[in-house]
Every structure is written in structure tokens, then in C-alpha cells.
Amino acid sequence: MTENTANGANTASTASTPFVPAPASPYQGDIARYWDEEARPVNLRLGDVDGLYHHHYGVGDIDHSALGKPGAGDYERKLIAELHRLESAQTDVLLDHLGPRRVEDLLADAGCGRGGSMVMAHQRFRCRVEGVTLSAKQADFANRRARELGIQERVQARVCNMLDMPFETGQVSASWNNESSMYVDLHDLFAEHSRILAPGGRYVTITGCWNPRYGQPSKWVSQINAHFECNIHSRREYLRAMADNRLVPQTIIDLTGATLPYWELRATSSLVTGIEDAFINSYKDGSFQYLLIAADRV
Ligand SMILES: C[S@@+](CC[C@H](N)C(=O)[O-])C[C@H]1O[C@@H](n2cnc3c(N)ncnc32)[C@H](O)[C@@H]1O
Ligand SMILES: CC(C)=CCC/C(C)=C/COP(=O)(O)OP(=O)(O)O
Ligand SMILES: [Mg+2]
């Protein structure tokens, strides 16, 4: 049986290589390759702290007592642990807004990365959690971590386009995009979440969005788009696309102030990637915001 790889080439599938659907667009093929090739130490070293691997940013105050003295032998290790704690705290904030979940619920992580948020969602709610990513490497990584944790029956990642998720209509109780909505058209995205969510279901996103009060995307936002090959939307687009697709915001939290300490600490670490100033400057000049939006599917 011949199948398509992420870049559209045909390959024969074998028991060890799962089916990889052809990308829906050349752009998605590029994003699949981007994440297949990603191995930034800032992500792997933080995930190594406790086996939860995130591709999102942190929120909350710095615990300076956990850092020790700059220049001390274990300072870098403690700094990495603190950055990771803040990134996991961000997932906790998202989970706090998923509403009361029952163990029999099915949860969906749209753009699941290496699966850290899926594991945390299962550990909190004991539900089944299904994630999708364009990256076969990320899906394999997330599924290997689930096996290592013995939760592979409850946590699973698949290579799949979040605009065409493998769920029946109304099958999902709660779904989210954790820093993954900037890779797709929001009307297409929210139409698909609206389809998979049961009436009364809950959708949550944490995202960076450009601030319509600024006028247009600032140069910092353009730098972030270029760095990640993504397409940051405005706050206005989120709310319009949700309203057009039966997703009605229940809660909107501006997390911009809460994420700045993470970025200022990260900018002092040896793991900097060069994008730190764009985030710090855009958060400070008001052109870019870090938001949580929790919406009900009506
Ligand atoms: C910045 S990472 C965020 C990962 C994860 N949500 C987290 O918080 O760690 C963005 C993710 O979105 C995924 N992605 C981008 N476009 C996608 C699409 N059209 N369908 C499925 N996943 C997509 C990427 O493969 C990647 O896993
Ligand atoms: C808020 C916005 C606009 C985010 C864009 C999506 C993104 C790439 C998030 C971080 O991924 P990562 O954890 O792999 O990035 P890094 O290597 O910078 O830690
Ligand atoms: Mg990261």
C-alpha cells in the first residue's frame, strides 16, 4: 500500500512507519518539515526537567528563591527548571478554563507538539486526550512519552491537519489550541472546533495576537512571524471568527503582563534563540498581546 509522506512523496507504509497524510497545502508541508527538524535546546532541555515537553511560553512570577545566585555552579540548571515551571504553569492556566471534565470525556489538542499539554490534561482530568500535529516526529515523540508513562491507551498524538480532525461531529467535550492557532485561517479552525465539539462543549486558546489598537502588525510581530513561519492574527479576528462559528467567549484574559517575567528571565539564559527581544518589545509597546480566550460551543 503506497502512502504519502509529509512532503507529498509516496512511500510504502510499514508496521513501524505510521501513515502520514499528504499536507493540505504547500505551506502545511513546510510547517510539517519545520517541526520535524526542530530540536532547539530551549525546548529539549526544559522538557528534560520532568518529561513534559512544551512548545509554548511561560506565565507567572519568577520564584527567585528557586534560582539561587547568578554565577553559582547550579544556577543555569535552576534557571532552566524555573523557565520550565512557568511553561507548565501556562498549561495549568489553560486547563483551569476547560470547565468541569468527566473521566469519560474526550479532549482534543489541536496542534499538540511533543505532547506536554496532553499529558497534563490527562493527569488532571483522567480523560482520553487525542492530539493532532503536522509533524510525524512530534507525534512519534508524544506517543513514545505516553508509552513511557503507561498512558498510551489514554493519550495519543496523530499526524493530521487540525482543519480536518479525525473526530465525529459532536464527539469532543473540550478542545484547545495552545499557541497553534497562528498557523491556520481562524474561520476554518473554529468551524472545525465547532463541528467536533458537543453543544455546550468548551474551547480554549492561549495565543499571541496583534493588538488592533496598535493598527497593524508591528515590525516585532513581523519578526515573530518570520522566525516561526506563522501568521499571527489580530484579537479582532479571533472574536469575529469565533462568533461566526458558534463559539461564544466566556472568559478573555490578557496574559501579557503575566508572560513578561518569563521572557525577561529567558533573555538572560544560555538557551536564547534570538526571538526574545521581539516578544519583549512587542509586549511592552502594546502591539502584541498574549491572550487566553475560553468559549462555549452553543
Ligand atoms: C508552537 S507548537 C505548539 C505545540 C503545543 N500546543 C504546545 O503547547 O506545546 C505549534 C504546533 O501546531 C502544529 N500545527 C501547525 N499547523 C497545524 C495544522 N494545520 N494541523 C495540525 N497541527 C498543526 C505544529 O505541528 C506544532 O505541533
Ligand atoms: C505566541 C506565539 C505567536 C507563538 C508562535 C508559536 C510558537 C512557535 C510557540 C513556541 O514554540 P517553541 O517553544 O518551539 O519556541 P521556542 O523555541 O522559542 O521556545
Ligand atoms: Mg519553547
Side-chain angles (χ1 to χ4, degrees), residues 80-270:
I80 288 170
E82 180 64 3
L83 289 174
H84 181 63
R85 183 187 68 79
L86 296 171
E87 290 189 4
S88 289
Q90 185 263 27
T91 304
D92 276 327
V93 170
L94 188 148
L95 299 179
D96 288 346
H97 290 85
L98 275 186
R101 302 289 28 122
R102 299 165 306 171
V103 66
E104 62 269 24
D105 284 351
L106 173 62
L107 308 184
D109 184 346
C112 64
R114 286 191 165 99
S117 299
M118 289 199 288
V119 172
M120 288 181 68
H122 171 70
Q123 289 173 339
R124 182 183 294 202
F125 300 117
R126 316 310 296 171
C127 305
R128 195 154 63 87
V129 187
E130 298 275 342
V132 298
T133 171
L134 290 178
S135 164
K137 182 185 152 197
Q138 287 188 329
D140 289 348
F141 190 104
N143 290 328
R144 185 169 62 250
R145 283 298 299 134
R147 284 194 300 276
E148 289 165 357
L149 293 168
I151 57 174
Q152 67 277 9
E153 300 303 317
R154 309 288 285 162
V155 173
Q156 181 191 21
R158 276 184 266 209
V159 181
C160 177
N161 179 5
M162 68 172 83
L163 302 181
D164 185 15
M165 289 188 273
F167 307 113
E168 300 298 321
T169 295
Q171 185 187 1
V172 171
S173 305
S175 62
W176 65 88
N177 283 89
N178 196 343
E179 295 193 27
S180 57
S181 55
M182 62 288 296
Y183 291 94
V184 290
D185 174 276
L186 292 180
H187 275 84
D188 296 341
L189 176 67
F190 295 147
E192 180 64 353
H193 279 286
S194 186
R195 179 189 71 79
I196 67 171
L197 283 167
R202 170 54 59 88
Y203 172 75
V204 181
T205 186
I206 291 182
T207 189
C209 56
W210 64 266
N211 185 352
R213 289 187 58 186
Y214 182 82
Q216 285 293 327
S218 65
K219 65 179 179 183
W220 308 120
V221 169
S222 300
Q223 281 183 27
I224 296 166
N225 276 333
H227 182 81
F228 292 114
E229 301 175 37
C230 65
N231 174 31
I232 292 163
H233 305 289
S234 75
R235 182 173 82 240
R236 184 180 180 195
E237 291 168 82
Y238 278 89
L239 299 177
R240 179 187 291 139
M242 284 184 176
D244 289 350
N245 288 283
R246 308 183 70 90
L247 295 174
V248 179
Q250 165 68 28
T251 305
I252 300 176
I253 305 175
D254 184 349
L255 293 170
T256 307
T259 195
L260 259 173
Y262 163 90
W263 282 105
E264 288 166 340
L265 180 63
R266 170 167 156 159
T268 70
S269 86
S270 64

Side-chain angles (χ1 to χ4, degrees), residues 1 3 11-19 140 147:
M1 175 181 168
E3 294 158 348
T11 60
S13 74
T14 63
S16 62
T17 55
F19 170 65
D140 289 348
R147 284 194 300 276

Side-chain angles (χ1 to χ4, degrees), residues 42-43 54 56-57 87 266:
V42 69
N43 297 310
H54 300 310
H56 60 245
Y57 298 123
E87 290 189 4
R266 170 167 156 159

